[in-house]
Short mmCIF file of all heavy atoms in Angstrom, two decimals:
data_model
loop_
_atom_site.label_atom_id
_atom_site.label_comp_id
_atom_site.label_asym_id
_atom_site.label_seq_id
_atom_site.Cartn_x
_atom_site.Cartn_y
_atom_site.Cartn_z
N MET A 1 -186.70 108.73 -17.14
CA MET A 1 -186.78 109.95 -17.93
C MET A 1 -186.26 109.72 -19.34
O MET A 1 -186.72 110.36 -20.26
CB MET A 1 -185.98 111.05 -17.26
CG MET A 1 -186.58 111.53 -15.98
SD MET A 1 -188.21 112.21 -16.23
CE MET A 1 -188.10 113.65 -15.28
N SER A 2 -185.29 108.85 -19.50
CA SER A 2 -184.69 108.68 -20.82
C SER A 2 -185.64 108.03 -21.81
O SER A 2 -185.39 108.06 -23.01
CB SER A 2 -183.41 107.87 -20.71
OG SER A 2 -183.70 106.57 -20.24
N TYR A 3 -186.73 107.44 -21.34
CA TYR A 3 -187.69 106.81 -22.25
C TYR A 3 -188.75 107.78 -22.75
O TYR A 3 -189.55 107.44 -23.61
CB TYR A 3 -188.37 105.62 -21.57
CG TYR A 3 -187.43 104.48 -21.34
CD1 TYR A 3 -186.93 104.21 -20.08
CD2 TYR A 3 -187.01 103.67 -22.40
CE1 TYR A 3 -186.05 103.17 -19.87
CE2 TYR A 3 -186.14 102.63 -22.20
CZ TYR A 3 -185.65 102.39 -20.93
OH TYR A 3 -184.79 101.35 -20.72
N LEU A 4 -188.81 108.97 -22.18
CA LEU A 4 -189.83 109.93 -22.56
C LEU A 4 -189.23 111.02 -23.45
O LEU A 4 -188.09 111.43 -23.26
CB LEU A 4 -190.42 110.60 -21.31
CG LEU A 4 -191.10 109.70 -20.29
CD1 LEU A 4 -191.52 110.50 -19.08
CD2 LEU A 4 -192.27 108.97 -20.90
N THR A 5 -190.02 111.48 -24.39
CA THR A 5 -189.60 112.64 -25.18
C THR A 5 -189.70 113.86 -24.28
O THR A 5 -190.38 113.82 -23.24
CB THR A 5 -190.51 112.83 -26.41
OG1 THR A 5 -191.82 113.17 -25.96
CG2 THR A 5 -190.54 111.59 -27.29
N PRO A 6 -189.07 114.96 -24.64
CA PRO A 6 -189.19 116.16 -23.80
C PRO A 6 -190.64 116.60 -23.59
O PRO A 6 -191.01 116.99 -22.48
CB PRO A 6 -188.40 117.22 -24.58
CG PRO A 6 -187.37 116.42 -25.33
CD PRO A 6 -188.08 115.14 -25.71
N ASN A 7 -191.47 116.50 -24.62
CA ASN A 7 -192.89 116.87 -24.46
C ASN A 7 -193.62 115.93 -23.51
O ASN A 7 -194.43 116.36 -22.68
CB ASN A 7 -193.60 116.91 -25.80
CG ASN A 7 -193.15 118.09 -26.65
OD1 ASN A 7 -192.66 119.09 -26.14
ND2 ASN A 7 -193.32 117.96 -27.95
N GLU A 8 -193.36 114.63 -23.62
CA GLU A 8 -193.99 113.66 -22.71
C GLU A 8 -193.54 113.91 -21.28
O GLU A 8 -194.34 113.83 -20.34
CB GLU A 8 -193.62 112.24 -23.13
CG GLU A 8 -194.28 111.79 -24.41
CD GLU A 8 -193.73 110.48 -24.92
OE1 GLU A 8 -192.56 110.14 -24.61
OE2 GLU A 8 -194.46 109.79 -25.64
N ARG A 9 -192.26 114.21 -21.10
CA ARG A 9 -191.73 114.48 -19.77
C ARG A 9 -192.42 115.70 -19.15
O ARG A 9 -192.85 115.66 -18.00
CB ARG A 9 -190.23 114.70 -19.83
CG ARG A 9 -189.60 114.97 -18.49
CD ARG A 9 -188.08 115.20 -18.64
NE ARG A 9 -187.47 115.41 -17.37
CZ ARG A 9 -187.48 116.56 -16.70
NH1 ARG A 9 -188.08 117.62 -17.20
NH2 ARG A 9 -186.89 116.67 -15.53
N GLU A 10 -192.55 116.76 -19.92
CA GLU A 10 -193.21 117.96 -19.42
C GLU A 10 -194.66 117.67 -19.05
O GLU A 10 -195.16 118.09 -18.02
CB GLU A 10 -193.17 119.09 -20.45
CG GLU A 10 -191.93 119.94 -20.39
CD GLU A 10 -191.64 120.47 -18.99
OE1 GLU A 10 -192.54 121.08 -18.37
OE2 GLU A 10 -190.52 120.23 -18.51
N TRP A 11 -195.35 116.95 -19.93
CA TRP A 11 -196.75 116.61 -19.66
C TRP A 11 -196.84 115.80 -18.37
O TRP A 11 -197.68 116.06 -17.51
CB TRP A 11 -197.34 115.81 -20.83
CG TRP A 11 -198.80 115.54 -20.62
CD1 TRP A 11 -199.83 116.29 -21.06
CD2 TRP A 11 -199.38 114.45 -19.88
NE1 TRP A 11 -201.02 115.75 -20.64
CE2 TRP A 11 -200.76 114.62 -19.92
CE3 TRP A 11 -198.85 113.36 -19.20
CZ2 TRP A 11 -201.63 113.73 -19.31
CZ3 TRP A 11 -199.72 112.48 -18.58
CH2 TRP A 11 -201.10 112.68 -18.64
N TRP A 12 -195.96 114.82 -18.22
CA TRP A 12 -195.99 113.99 -17.02
C TRP A 12 -195.76 114.83 -15.77
O TRP A 12 -196.47 114.70 -14.78
CB TRP A 12 -194.93 112.89 -17.12
CG TRP A 12 -194.96 111.99 -15.93
CD1 TRP A 12 -194.21 112.12 -14.81
CD2 TRP A 12 -195.82 110.88 -15.72
NE1 TRP A 12 -194.54 111.14 -13.91
CE2 TRP A 12 -195.52 110.36 -14.44
CE3 TRP A 12 -196.81 110.26 -16.48
CZ2 TRP A 12 -196.17 109.27 -13.92
CZ3 TRP A 12 -197.45 109.17 -15.95
CH2 TRP A 12 -197.14 108.68 -14.68
N LEU A 13 -194.77 115.68 -15.81
CA LEU A 13 -194.47 116.49 -14.64
C LEU A 13 -195.61 117.43 -14.28
O LEU A 13 -195.86 117.71 -13.12
CB LEU A 13 -193.17 117.27 -14.86
CG LEU A 13 -191.90 116.41 -14.93
CD1 LEU A 13 -190.71 117.26 -15.31
CD2 LEU A 13 -191.66 115.69 -13.61
N GLN A 14 -196.33 117.91 -15.28
CA GLN A 14 -197.45 118.82 -15.02
C GLN A 14 -198.71 118.11 -14.57
O GLN A 14 -199.47 118.63 -13.77
CB GLN A 14 -197.76 119.64 -16.28
CG GLN A 14 -196.69 120.65 -16.62
CD GLN A 14 -197.00 121.35 -17.94
OE1 GLN A 14 -198.11 121.24 -18.47
NE2 GLN A 14 -196.02 122.08 -18.45
N HIS A 15 -198.98 116.92 -15.09
CA HIS A 15 -200.27 116.26 -14.86
C HIS A 15 -200.23 115.06 -13.93
O HIS A 15 -201.22 114.74 -13.29
CB HIS A 15 -200.88 115.82 -16.19
CG HIS A 15 -201.22 116.95 -17.09
ND1 HIS A 15 -200.32 117.47 -17.99
CD2 HIS A 15 -202.34 117.69 -17.21
CE1 HIS A 15 -200.88 118.47 -18.64
NE2 HIS A 15 -202.11 118.64 -18.18
N ARG A 16 -199.16 114.33 -13.91
CA ARG A 16 -199.17 113.06 -13.19
C ARG A 16 -198.09 112.95 -12.12
O ARG A 16 -197.90 111.88 -11.57
CB ARG A 16 -198.97 111.89 -14.17
CG ARG A 16 -199.99 111.79 -15.25
CD ARG A 16 -201.28 111.23 -14.73
NE ARG A 16 -202.22 111.14 -15.85
CZ ARG A 16 -203.24 110.36 -15.90
NH1 ARG A 16 -203.51 109.59 -14.89
NH2 ARG A 16 -204.04 110.34 -16.93
N ALA A 17 -197.36 113.98 -11.88
CA ALA A 17 -196.28 113.89 -10.90
C ALA A 17 -196.83 113.58 -9.52
O ALA A 17 -197.71 114.26 -9.02
CB ALA A 17 -195.48 115.19 -10.88
N THR A 18 -196.32 112.52 -8.93
CA THR A 18 -196.70 112.12 -7.58
C THR A 18 -195.43 111.66 -6.87
O THR A 18 -194.42 111.38 -7.50
CB THR A 18 -197.72 110.96 -7.59
OG1 THR A 18 -197.07 109.80 -8.09
CG2 THR A 18 -198.94 111.29 -8.43
N PRO A 19 -195.49 111.53 -5.56
CA PRO A 19 -194.31 111.01 -4.87
C PRO A 19 -194.10 109.52 -5.12
O PRO A 19 -193.07 108.97 -4.80
CB PRO A 19 -194.60 111.29 -3.39
CG PRO A 19 -196.07 111.49 -3.32
CD PRO A 19 -196.53 111.98 -4.66
N ASP A 20 -195.10 108.83 -5.68
CA ASP A 20 -194.98 107.40 -5.96
C ASP A 20 -194.05 107.18 -7.15
O ASP A 20 -193.85 108.05 -7.98
CB ASP A 20 -196.35 106.79 -6.27
CG ASP A 20 -197.32 106.97 -5.12
OD1 ASP A 20 -196.87 106.96 -3.97
OD2 ASP A 20 -198.52 107.13 -5.40
N ALA A 21 -193.55 105.98 -7.23
CA ALA A 21 -192.73 105.62 -8.39
C ALA A 21 -193.56 105.73 -9.66
O ALA A 21 -194.77 105.48 -9.65
CB ALA A 21 -192.21 104.20 -8.22
N TRP A 22 -192.93 106.11 -10.73
CA TRP A 22 -193.66 106.25 -11.99
C TRP A 22 -194.20 104.91 -12.45
O TRP A 22 -195.33 104.78 -12.85
CB TRP A 22 -192.76 106.81 -13.07
CG TRP A 22 -192.49 108.27 -12.89
CD1 TRP A 22 -192.68 109.02 -11.76
CD2 TRP A 22 -191.98 109.16 -13.87
NE1 TRP A 22 -192.31 110.32 -11.97
CE2 TRP A 22 -191.87 110.42 -13.28
CE3 TRP A 22 -191.58 109.00 -15.18
CZ2 TRP A 22 -191.40 111.53 -13.95
CZ3 TRP A 22 -191.11 110.10 -15.86
CH2 TRP A 22 -191.02 111.35 -15.24
N LEU A 23 -193.37 103.93 -12.42
CA LEU A 23 -193.80 102.59 -12.79
C LEU A 23 -193.62 101.68 -11.59
O LEU A 23 -192.53 101.57 -11.05
CB LEU A 23 -192.94 102.05 -13.95
CG LEU A 23 -193.04 102.79 -15.27
CD1 LEU A 23 -192.04 102.20 -16.26
CD2 LEU A 23 -194.43 102.70 -15.82
N PRO A 24 -194.69 101.05 -11.16
CA PRO A 24 -194.52 100.14 -10.02
C PRO A 24 -193.65 98.96 -10.45
O PRO A 24 -193.77 98.49 -11.58
CB PRO A 24 -195.96 99.69 -9.72
CG PRO A 24 -196.72 99.96 -10.96
CD PRO A 24 -196.04 101.09 -11.67
N PRO A 25 -192.77 98.52 -9.60
CA PRO A 25 -191.93 97.38 -9.99
C PRO A 25 -192.78 96.13 -10.11
O PRO A 25 -193.77 95.98 -9.40
CB PRO A 25 -190.95 97.26 -8.83
CG PRO A 25 -191.65 97.89 -7.68
CD PRO A 25 -192.53 98.97 -8.26
N TYR A 26 -192.44 95.29 -11.04
CA TYR A 26 -193.15 94.02 -11.10
C TYR A 26 -192.22 92.96 -10.55
O TYR A 26 -191.03 92.97 -10.77
CB TYR A 26 -193.66 93.72 -12.51
CG TYR A 26 -192.73 93.03 -13.47
CD1 TYR A 26 -192.80 91.66 -13.68
CD2 TYR A 26 -191.79 93.75 -14.19
CE1 TYR A 26 -191.97 91.03 -14.58
CE2 TYR A 26 -190.95 93.14 -15.08
CZ TYR A 26 -191.04 91.78 -15.28
OH TYR A 26 -190.21 91.16 -16.17
N LEU A 27 -192.79 92.13 -9.74
CA LEU A 27 -192.03 91.12 -9.03
C LEU A 27 -192.43 89.75 -9.55
O LEU A 27 -193.60 89.37 -9.48
CB LEU A 27 -192.29 91.22 -7.53
CG LEU A 27 -191.99 92.59 -6.91
CD1 LEU A 27 -192.49 92.63 -5.48
CD2 LEU A 27 -190.52 92.91 -7.01
N VAL A 28 -191.47 89.05 -10.07
CA VAL A 28 -191.72 87.69 -10.52
C VAL A 28 -191.57 86.76 -9.32
O VAL A 28 -190.92 87.11 -8.33
CB VAL A 28 -190.76 87.27 -11.65
CG1 VAL A 28 -190.96 88.16 -12.87
CG2 VAL A 28 -189.33 87.29 -11.20
N PRO A 29 -192.17 85.58 -9.40
CA PRO A 29 -192.02 84.64 -8.29
C PRO A 29 -190.54 84.29 -8.09
O PRO A 29 -189.78 84.24 -9.06
CB PRO A 29 -192.80 83.41 -8.73
CG PRO A 29 -193.61 83.82 -9.90
CD PRO A 29 -192.98 85.04 -10.47
N ALA A 30 -190.16 84.05 -6.87
CA ALA A 30 -188.81 83.56 -6.60
C ALA A 30 -188.67 82.15 -7.15
O ALA A 30 -189.66 81.41 -7.24
CB ALA A 30 -188.54 83.57 -5.10
N GLU A 31 -187.47 81.80 -7.52
CA GLU A 31 -187.27 80.48 -8.13
C GLU A 31 -187.73 79.36 -7.20
O GLU A 31 -188.32 78.38 -7.65
CB GLU A 31 -185.82 80.29 -8.53
CG GLU A 31 -185.60 79.05 -9.37
CD GLU A 31 -184.28 79.04 -10.09
OE1 GLU A 31 -183.45 79.94 -9.88
OE2 GLU A 31 -184.08 78.10 -10.88
N GLN A 32 -187.51 79.50 -5.90
CA GLN A 32 -187.92 78.44 -4.98
C GLN A 32 -189.44 78.36 -4.84
O GLN A 32 -189.97 77.34 -4.43
CB GLN A 32 -187.26 78.60 -3.60
CG GLN A 32 -187.64 79.84 -2.85
CD GLN A 32 -186.70 81.01 -3.11
OE1 GLN A 32 -186.00 81.05 -4.11
NE2 GLN A 32 -186.69 81.98 -2.22
N ASP A 33 -190.17 79.42 -5.22
CA ASP A 33 -191.63 79.41 -5.17
C ASP A 33 -192.27 79.05 -6.51
O ASP A 33 -193.48 78.97 -6.61
CB ASP A 33 -192.15 80.79 -4.74
CG ASP A 33 -191.67 81.18 -3.37
OD1 ASP A 33 -191.46 80.28 -2.54
OD2 ASP A 33 -191.49 82.39 -3.13
N PHE A 34 -191.45 78.85 -7.51
CA PHE A 34 -191.94 78.56 -8.86
C PHE A 34 -192.26 77.07 -8.97
O PHE A 34 -191.39 76.22 -8.78
CB PHE A 34 -190.87 78.95 -9.88
CG PHE A 34 -191.20 78.61 -11.29
CD1 PHE A 34 -192.22 79.26 -11.95
CD2 PHE A 34 -190.46 77.66 -11.97
CE1 PHE A 34 -192.51 78.96 -13.27
CE2 PHE A 34 -190.74 77.35 -13.29
CZ PHE A 34 -191.77 78.00 -13.95
N ALA A 35 -193.50 76.77 -9.24
CA ALA A 35 -193.92 75.37 -9.34
C ALA A 35 -194.92 75.22 -10.48
O ALA A 35 -196.07 75.63 -10.36
CB ALA A 35 -194.53 74.90 -8.04
N VAL A 36 -194.46 74.71 -11.59
CA VAL A 36 -195.34 74.38 -12.71
C VAL A 36 -194.97 72.97 -13.19
O VAL A 36 -193.88 72.47 -12.92
CB VAL A 36 -195.22 75.38 -13.89
CG1 VAL A 36 -195.64 76.77 -13.48
CG2 VAL A 36 -193.85 75.37 -14.50
N ARG A 37 -195.88 72.40 -13.90
CA ARG A 37 -195.62 71.06 -14.45
C ARG A 37 -194.62 71.17 -15.59
O ARG A 37 -194.80 71.94 -16.52
CB ARG A 37 -196.93 70.44 -14.95
CG ARG A 37 -196.79 69.00 -15.42
CD ARG A 37 -198.12 68.42 -15.83
NE ARG A 37 -198.59 68.95 -17.09
CZ ARG A 37 -198.18 68.51 -18.30
NH1 ARG A 37 -197.28 67.58 -18.39
NH2 ARG A 37 -198.70 69.04 -19.39
N GLU A 38 -193.56 70.41 -15.49
CA GLU A 38 -192.56 70.39 -16.55
C GLU A 38 -193.02 69.46 -17.66
O GLU A 38 -193.65 68.44 -17.39
CB GLU A 38 -191.21 69.90 -16.02
CG GLU A 38 -190.56 70.84 -15.05
CD GLU A 38 -189.16 70.38 -14.66
OE1 GLU A 38 -188.71 69.31 -15.12
OE2 GLU A 38 -188.53 71.11 -13.89
N PRO A 39 -192.71 69.81 -18.90
CA PRO A 39 -193.04 68.88 -19.98
C PRO A 39 -192.21 67.60 -19.86
O PRO A 39 -191.04 67.65 -19.49
CB PRO A 39 -192.70 69.65 -21.26
CG PRO A 39 -191.84 70.78 -20.84
CD PRO A 39 -192.07 71.02 -19.39
N GLY A 40 -192.84 66.49 -20.13
CA GLY A 40 -192.13 65.22 -20.09
C GLY A 40 -191.32 65.03 -21.37
O GLY A 40 -191.36 65.86 -22.28
N PRO A 41 -190.60 63.92 -21.46
CA PRO A 41 -189.85 63.64 -22.69
C PRO A 41 -190.81 63.57 -23.88
O PRO A 41 -191.89 62.99 -23.78
CB PRO A 41 -189.21 62.29 -22.43
CG PRO A 41 -189.23 62.12 -20.94
CD PRO A 41 -190.42 62.90 -20.45
N ASP A 42 -190.43 64.21 -24.95
CA ASP A 42 -191.24 64.23 -26.19
C ASP A 42 -192.62 64.85 -26.00
O ASP A 42 -193.53 64.58 -26.78
CB ASP A 42 -191.39 62.82 -26.77
CG ASP A 42 -190.04 62.20 -27.09
OD1 ASP A 42 -189.15 62.94 -27.58
OD2 ASP A 42 -189.87 60.99 -26.86
N GLU A 43 -192.81 65.66 -24.96
CA GLU A 43 -194.08 66.34 -24.73
C GLU A 43 -193.91 67.84 -24.95
O GLU A 43 -192.88 68.42 -24.63
CB GLU A 43 -194.56 66.10 -23.30
CG GLU A 43 -195.87 66.81 -22.99
CD GLU A 43 -196.26 66.72 -21.52
OE1 GLU A 43 -195.42 66.39 -20.67
OE2 GLU A 43 -197.43 67.01 -21.23
N GLU A 44 -194.92 68.45 -25.52
CA GLU A 44 -194.96 69.90 -25.67
C GLU A 44 -196.16 70.43 -24.92
O GLU A 44 -197.22 69.81 -24.92
CB GLU A 44 -195.06 70.29 -27.14
CG GLU A 44 -193.86 69.90 -27.95
CD GLU A 44 -194.02 70.24 -29.42
OE1 GLU A 44 -195.14 70.55 -29.86
OE2 GLU A 44 -193.01 70.20 -30.13
N ILE A 45 -195.99 71.57 -24.29
CA ILE A 45 -197.09 72.21 -23.56
C ILE A 45 -197.38 73.53 -24.24
O ILE A 45 -196.46 74.34 -24.45
CB ILE A 45 -196.73 72.43 -22.08
CG1 ILE A 45 -196.51 71.08 -21.38
CG2 ILE A 45 -197.80 73.25 -21.37
CD1 ILE A 45 -196.01 71.19 -19.95
N LEU A 46 -198.64 73.76 -24.58
CA LEU A 46 -199.06 75.02 -25.17
C LEU A 46 -199.01 76.11 -24.10
O LEU A 46 -199.69 76.01 -23.08
CB LEU A 46 -200.47 74.91 -25.76
CG LEU A 46 -201.04 76.18 -26.38
CD1 LEU A 46 -200.22 76.63 -27.58
CD2 LEU A 46 -202.49 75.96 -26.78
N LEU A 47 -198.20 77.13 -24.34
CA LEU A 47 -198.06 78.21 -23.38
C LEU A 47 -198.90 79.42 -23.77
O LEU A 47 -199.43 80.10 -22.91
CB LEU A 47 -196.59 78.61 -23.27
CG LEU A 47 -196.19 79.46 -22.09
CD1 LEU A 47 -196.50 78.75 -20.78
CD2 LEU A 47 -194.71 79.80 -22.17
N ALA A 48 -199.03 79.68 -25.08
CA ALA A 48 -199.78 80.87 -25.50
C ALA A 48 -200.25 80.73 -26.94
O ALA A 48 -199.63 80.06 -27.75
CB ALA A 48 -198.91 82.11 -25.36
#
């Protein structure tokens, strides 16, 4: 609620209120499930 202005909050409560969470949680992979190729010495990998 603290991220919404009073007008946005009212609009949300009138139009989109559901029993579901407002924002679905996003789950990142667990560290033990994280497997990517690490850059080698003096290597750079383009990420974005």
Side-chain angles (χ1 to χ4, degrees):
M1 291 299 226
S2 63
Y3 291 104
L4 300 175
T5 66
N7 289 337
E8 289 170 334
R9 181 181 182 280
E10 273 308 307
W11 184 92
W12 182 266
L13 292 173
Q14 290 175 12
H15 296 89
R16 302 284 181 157
T18 68
D20 301 327
W22 286 17
L23 296 175
Y26 86 99
L27 303 172
V28 298
E31 190 164 5
Q32 64 268 22
D33 299 330
F34 175 68
V36 297
R37 185 177 73 81
E38 293 186 358
D42 301 321
E43 179 188 16
E44 295 178 347
I45 297 174
L46 179 63
L47 195 60

